[in-house]
Structures are given as structure tokens and as C-alpha cells.
Amino acid sequence: MASTGADDLYDYIWKVVLVGDSGVGKTNLLSRFTKNEFNSESKSTIGVEFATRHVTIKGKTIRAQIWDTAGQERYRAITAVYYRGAVGALVVYDITKSQTFDNLNKWLQELKDHADSSARIMIVGNKSDLRHLRAVTQEEGRLLAEKHKYSFIETSALDASNVGEAFNNLLVDIFKSQVEDPTVLPPSSQHQSAGHNNGQTSSRVQLPREDASGQQGGQCFC
């Protein structure tokens, strides 16, 4: 794979994980946010996939390293390690499948067990374009989020509704809690250094590693 040879400067690198049952649309949410792409033929994630995007918030450049974790039970032992060091998470369910909503408590417990205790969490009801097939009401999603004091949003990776808002609102929430209140900032999430871009926007990995590369665009919340 060709390298651009360019250096990308950033102030912070933050690990964000996408979790939820297989088939809820996590991979397409990631692709829509980082590459503005949607693949109706996308297959279930094997292990973990990742992509990065740079966002500017109040003059600080954030390198968001977004991990898409496999939803199948047989990959839990592999992917559990990826929660470590995560400072944010989108916990995703399919609004047309009540079982994926019922399973949210399992995913929230995994985050509690493996992610940093200060991680910011957003509950996401995906596939809002299929509202005519809705099995979980928006109010149910909102009430669950309020119960746990998390944020909530409904999205559609297909038509891009609220996808940018979901990721960007989570990143702004992380910024507010960790940069503007640095007493809760985990040392591992703060990097005053240069990153390298080898032109890669995403990758698929089978074994744990903490390095990620590439970016697709950037956004400013100045």
C-alpha cells in the first residue's frame, strides 16, 4: 500500500468504540462517517475494523480512532481487549429488531467492565429510514438512555440522517469532560505529538494492536 509520506499533527488521539449486536449497522455507520459511503452488501465484522477521522474542536485537532467491534458472541474474547483505553462509545441497536434493543444492557455491562470509567456513552437507534418497520419506539430508546444518564440519538447509515451528529456530539462531549475538565483525562488519551498518515482510511485486524492509521476528511467545531 502506497504511503503519502505526509505528517498529520494532532493534539489528542481518542479511541471510540462501536458496540452492539451483529447486523445493527455499526460498520455502515463507521463507513458513512469516515468515508461517506454505504454498502448494502456489507458483511458481519470479523474481529475488529477501524478507521480514523480528524475533527477540530475549539482550536484543538482530535484524531478520532473509531473501532467497529464484532457483534457475534464467538468474537467476544478477541474484542474485549479493544474496550481498554476507549474514552467514548456508540452503543447501537436496530430500531426494527427489539432483541437488539433488549441486548443493550449486555453491551453496557461490557463497557463498564472493560472501558475507562470516564468514557462517554451514547445510545444509538440505527436504521431510522425503516421507521415503517419500527419495533422499538424513540421514547423507549430515550428512556433507557436517561435511565443510565447517557445521550441518545436515532440515525440512518443508509440516508446519512444524524450520523455526523452522533459521532460529532460524542466527540464534543468527550472534549467537554476531558479537555475542559482535565482532572478526569486518562493519560493514554492525551498526545501532544505528530501522527503519520499512510493513506489508509480503514483496516481489518484479527489480533489486538493499538496502532491505527489514515483519515478521511476533517471537521471543525471551533
Side-chain angles (χ1 to χ4, degrees):
M1 188 171 296
S3 172
T4 64
D7 285 351
D8 293 311
L9 300 176
Y10 53 84
D11 297 291
Y12 301 94
I13 180 168
W14 289 341
K15 183 178 182 179
V16 173
V17 293
L18 282 162
V19 298
D21 283 5
S22 178
V24 298
K26 301 185 299 296
T27 298
N28 273 318
L29 284 171
L30 177 64
S31 296
R32 179 63 77 183
F33 180 62
T34 58
K35 297 182 287 186
N36 196 26
E37 294 178 359
F38 179 89
N39 179 11
S40 60
E41 304 298 324
S42 64
K43 298 179 181 179
S44 296
T45 301
I46 299 174
V48 172
E49 296 181 4
F50 66 84
T52 63
R53 178 165 173 173
H54 286 191
V55 174
T56 301
I57 304 174
K58 294 189 176 181
K60 297 293 185 181
T61 299
I62 312 302
R63 184 179 177 88
Q65 184 185 102
I66 305 164
W67 295 87
D68 171 19
T69 57
Q72 300 97 322
E73 190 65 33
R74 65 181 179 273
Y75 294 118
R76 303 281 19 104
I78 297 175
T79 57
V81 67
Y82 287 96
Y83 292 112
R84 296 172 192 164
V87 294
L90 296 182
V91 186
V92 187
Y93 67 93
D94 180 343
I95 70 164
T96 72
K97 296 179 180 178
S98 58
Q99 186 63 47
T100 66
F101 180 75
D102 295 339
N103 287 340
L104 288 183
N105 285 327
K106 175 188 73 173
W107 297 109
L108 292 172
Q109 185 60 48
E110 283 207 0
L111 281 167
K112 182 178 179 180
D113 292 342
H114 301 292
D116 191 276
S117 60
S118 64
R120 311 304 291 178
I121 295 172
M122 175 182 286
I123 292 177
V124 179
N126 193 35
K127 305 188 182 182
S128 62
D129 55 286
L130 298 177
R131 56 184 61 85
H132 58 291
L133 300 175
R134 180 187 289 277
V136 182
T137 68
Q138 194 172 60
E139 186 65 13
E140 286 177 294
R142 183 176 292 108
L143 287 173
L144 178 65
E146 289 177 355
K147 173 184 175 181
H148 294 282
K149 298 183 179 179
Y150 300 146
S151 51
F152 169 77
I153 197 169
E154 286 194 346
T155 61
S156 169
L158 175 63
D159 63 23
S161 296
N162 287 338
V163 175
E165 287 83 351
F167 284 97
N168 294 327
N169 288 349
L170 179 64
L171 292 170
V172 169
D173 192 20
I174 295 169
F175 185 90
K176 288 179 178 178
S177 68
Q178 300 196 8
V179 177
E180 295 182 345
D181 184 8
T183 59
V184 298
L185 179 64
S188 61
S189 66
Q190 188 170 198
H191 292 259
Q192 303 291 337
S193 61
H196 297 280
N197 175 13
N198 68 0
Q200 192 175 346
T201 57
S202 63
S203 183
R204 179 174 295 176
V205 291
Q206 305 294 333
L207 298 175
R209 56 182 288 195
E210 281 299 336
D211 119 6
S213 56
Q215 80 176 72
Q216 180 70 28
Q219 195 155 356
C220 180
F221 294 86
C222 306

